[in-house]
Amino acid sequence: MASPDGATRPSFNADQPDSQSQLLQHDSTLTVGQSTTLTLGSDALVIADDRSTRKPDRSCCGLMSKSNTKENRSIALYNILHAEVSSAGLTITYADPVTKHDVTVGALQYTIADEDKAKAEAFTARLLDLAYGNAKRYKRFKVLINPFGGKGIASRLYHQYAAPILAAAHCAVEVEETTHGGHATEIAEQIDIDAYDAIVCCSGDGLPYEVFNGLAKKPNARVALSKLAVAMIPGGSGNAMAWNLCGTGSVSVAALAIVKGVRTPMDLVSITQGKTRTLSFLSQSFGIIAESDLGTDNIRWMGAHRFTYGFLVRLMQRTVWPCDLAVKVEIDDKNAIKEHYRRYAAGEPPRRPSEDTVAGSGGLPDLKYGTVLDELPQDWEVVPGENMGNFYAGNMAIVSADTNFFPASLPNDGLIDVVTIDGNVSRLTSLKMMTEIPEGGFFDMPEVKIRKASAYRLTPRENEGYISVDGERIPFEPFQVEVHRGLGTVLSKSGHLYEAEGPRP
């Protein structure tokens, strides 16, 4: 069955009927039965049935053959979940596309003669090597489900669409539902980091936020954040982590992406307010974006559309949010930011091995710039904030489906993208910004100021309002942010970039 999906493009590989033209010269071929061959191609397992029979439709070895025909099909290597040779023969399980955006578990089974078992086992080993590449097989997952997130159906979505994919891939899974706010933080703080490869959150972005902060409370926080990856199966309103790391809003496709996910170091940022220090993995907002997010809890039933609704309502009011803003700017020219992105994208993926260790065993890294209570560093740029219309800082590119707000954002460059927009821009310009975000033109609009920064401090001038961190509300008080390069670990498709289009050349 297909899962509910807000995806706009598939992030898995559908069958490719003509994949024989893509075969590598050194591909291996295994003959099963009397007429079926399995061939390892450059990106697919190619299945060819040469049987010729007078019967128009005959089922054999899980495939159908027709009279005097040669039936070929292929399964993308990315979609292969497991393969093994047993007394029952050769069994291959795979993610089978059932719609443009969803997969379910499919299986092939072939009888193997005793004299062919050694060859079949060698073929199977090679198939799994190609199918998983740099990704670890048989991952051990601690799955946390927020039964109250989004529309309250995360548990059903997980068990119906994600669990079968994880089971078919022979992953070890332990499932627990959260019962109250902060429960995921408590679980992560107490978790045995050697017992699992990743904590998988079936939720919106709130649960990963809690998990990162729970790991941060451990006495060996740096080791915990390096060793234990965090991943998401979409089950909330925004699901930004799933869009960025898996490229999808589909439950089944995200499960496949996590099975095949590569350990990837990712920047995290410290946020200090008063004497409190927390971690953020996604974004911080003040102004219209924060109000569109946090000020629309009464219409959560609308899902991601509530952000657009809230934005439009506040846009018509032409509200400004005055503040004092100071930024430790590292790159402030848009062309230089694009060049920085291109150099990173062309470089080697900064993958994190599972045996990766961190020097020392202490807690979080020291704060280079102190806290919000300390004196402001003299080399920070003071940004005029009397007419602040929108302040948005992002550590990930996509903030919700179809919203690639930070196209130049990178997982592991030690920088956060800070966007500021004057509150006095016309309504027409503001509406154009909304349409240019999905079209990719937002970054280059002259009214949009973008800086890559390693730290910043924001102080509201009003007494009441909203500040959002990873979609969670924090006190409406001054706060300071500092980036820690590669502090966290996630599972991603590429191990290098987010699943988003970068800035236009």
Side-chain angles (χ1 to χ4, degrees), residues 49-65:
D49 188 350
D50 295 330
R51 188 186 330 276
S52 176
T53 177
R54 293 181 181 180
K55 294 182 179 180
D57 292 287
R58 178 180 174 185
S59 175
C60 180
C61 304
L63 301 175
M64 300 298 295
S65 59

Side-chain angles (χ1 to χ4, degrees), residues 169-181:
H170 287 223
C171 295
V173 179
E174 181 182 302
V175 179
E176 184 172 355
E177 291 194 2
T178 58
T179 59
H180 55 273

Side-chain angles (χ1 to χ4, degrees), residues 103-170:
V103 294
T104 190
V105 176
L108 302 172
Q109 188 164 7
Y110 305 95
T111 301
I112 302 294
D114 289 342
E115 61 270 21
D116 294 330
K117 281 191 175 180
K119 184 177 180 180
E121 288 171 350
F123 178 90
T124 298
R126 176 65 177 153
L127 171 60
L128 289 175
D129 285 344
L130 294 172
Y132 278 84
N134 292 314
K136 181 179 180 179
R137 304 176 208 169
Y138 317 127
K139 295 184 181 75
R140 302 164 301 163
F141 293 135
K142 174 71 173 183
V143 176
L144 302 181
I145 301 175
N146 177 9
F148 311 106
K151 299 179 181 179
I153 57 174
S155 182
R156 180 180 67 81
L157 292 177
Y158 170 78
H159 289 289
Q160 189 168 355
Y161 302 111
I165 300 291
L166 304 185
H170 287 223

Side-chain angles (χ1 to χ4, degrees), residues 13 20 48 112 284 337 356:
N13 299 298
Q20 279 194 321
I112 302 294
Q284 308 90 47
I337 291 174
D356 184 66

Side-chain angles (χ1 to χ4, degrees), residues 122-458:
F123 178 90
T124 298
R126 176 65 177 153
L127 171 60
L128 289 175
D129 285 344
L130 294 172
Y132 278 84
N134 292 314
K136 181 179 180 179
R137 304 176 208 169
Y138 317 127
K139 295 184 181 75
R140 302 164 301 163
F141 293 135
K142 174 71 173 183
V143 176
L144 302 181
I145 301 175
N146 177 9
F148 311 106
K151 299 179 181 179
I153 57 174
S155 182
R156 180 180 67 81
L157 292 177
Y158 170 78
H159 289 289
Q160 189 168 355
Y161 302 111
I165 300 291
L166 304 185
H170 287 223
C171 295
V173 179
E174 181 182 302
V175 179
E176 184 172 355
E177 291 194 2
T178 58
T179 59
H180 55 273
H183 191 191
T185 298
E186 297 166 8
I187 294 171
E189 184 179 2
Q190 299 299 322
I191 200 168
D192 179 358
I193 63 174
D194 295 318
Y196 308 95
D197 296 304
I199 299 178
V200 179
C201 303
C202 186
S203 66
D205 296 303
L207 229 55
Y209 171 79
E210 289 191 16
V211 167
F212 279 123
N213 279 285
L215 295 175
K217 291 178 177 292
K218 284 183 167 292
N220 60 340
R222 278 173 289 176
V223 174
L225 289 163
S226 172
K227 188 175 182 63
L228 195 55
V230 180
M232 175 199 276
I233 290 173
S237 300
N239 307 315
M241 176 178 262
W243 281 105
N244 282 281
L245 302 179
C246 304
T248 185
S250 161
V251 172
S252 59
V253 176
L256 172 61
I258 290 170
V259 165
K260 293 301 181 76
V262 178
R263 286 173 51 83
T264 307
M266 189 181 78
D267 300 340
L268 297 175
V269 305
S270 282
I271 297 178
T272 61
Q273 269 194 317
K275 296 182 179 180
T276 302
R277 179 182 182 183
T278 56
L279 291 183
S280 168
F281 76 94
L282 175 59
S283 64
Q284 308 90 47
S285 60
F286 167 84
I288 195 168
I289 297 293
E291 293 222 2
S292 298
D293 183 1
L294 301 173
T296 56
D297 277 347
N298 60 315
I299 52 172
R300 291 190 73 88
W301 56 268
M302 294 181 66
H305 298 295
R306 69 188 175 93
F307 302 118
T308 302
Y309 173 81
F311 185 93
L312 289 173
V313 168
R314 284 154 183 78
L315 176 65
M316 293 302 104
Q317 299 173 356
R318 292 288 299 276
T319 310
V320 297
W321 290 264
C323 65
D324 295 317
L325 176 63
V327 183
K328 175 58 177 174
V329 179
E330 304 296 341
I331 312 174
D332 65 354
D333 175 77
K334 288 185 179 180
N335 288 329
I337 291 174
K338 291 180 181 181
E339 180 57 29
H340 171 79
Y341 181 93
R342 286 192 290 267
R343 285 197 306 269
Y344 183 102
E348 286 294 321
R351 291 180 179 136
R352 172 163 284 162
S354 57
E355 66 274 10
D356 184 66
T357 58
V358 176
S361 58
L364 293 176
D366 293 336
L367 293 169
K368 180 179 179 181
Y369 302 107
T371 74
V372 70
L373 299 177
D374 294 315
E375 185 176 347
L376 188 70
Q378 294 184 354
D379 61 342
W380 288 24
E381 176 186 335
V382 176
V383 179
E386 295 83 0
N387 297 311
M388 184 68 69
N390 183 36
F391 172 91
Y392 207 1
N395 193 44
M396 284 184 162
I398 302 170
V399 296
S400 64
D402 300 323
T403 310
N404 183 11
F405 200 94
F406 303 100
S409 182
L410 294 163
N412 186 46
D413 66 344
L415 302 173
I416 191 166
D417 291 22
V418 176
V419 173
T420 56
I421 301 172
D422 191 279
N424 290 325
V425 297
S426 68
R427 291 191 179 95
L428 182 62
T429 299
S430 294
L431 289 172
K432 185 179 180 181
M433 288 178 183
M434 286 191 65
T435 61
E436 286 293 333
I437 291 173
E439 297 297 325
F442 175 80
F443 183 96
D444 292 306
M445 293 184 68
E447 296 86 358
V448 178
K449 178 62 178 178
I450 300 177
R451 303 169 177 87
K452 276 194 172 286
S454 55
Y456 71 84
R457 179 184 297 181
L458 188 148

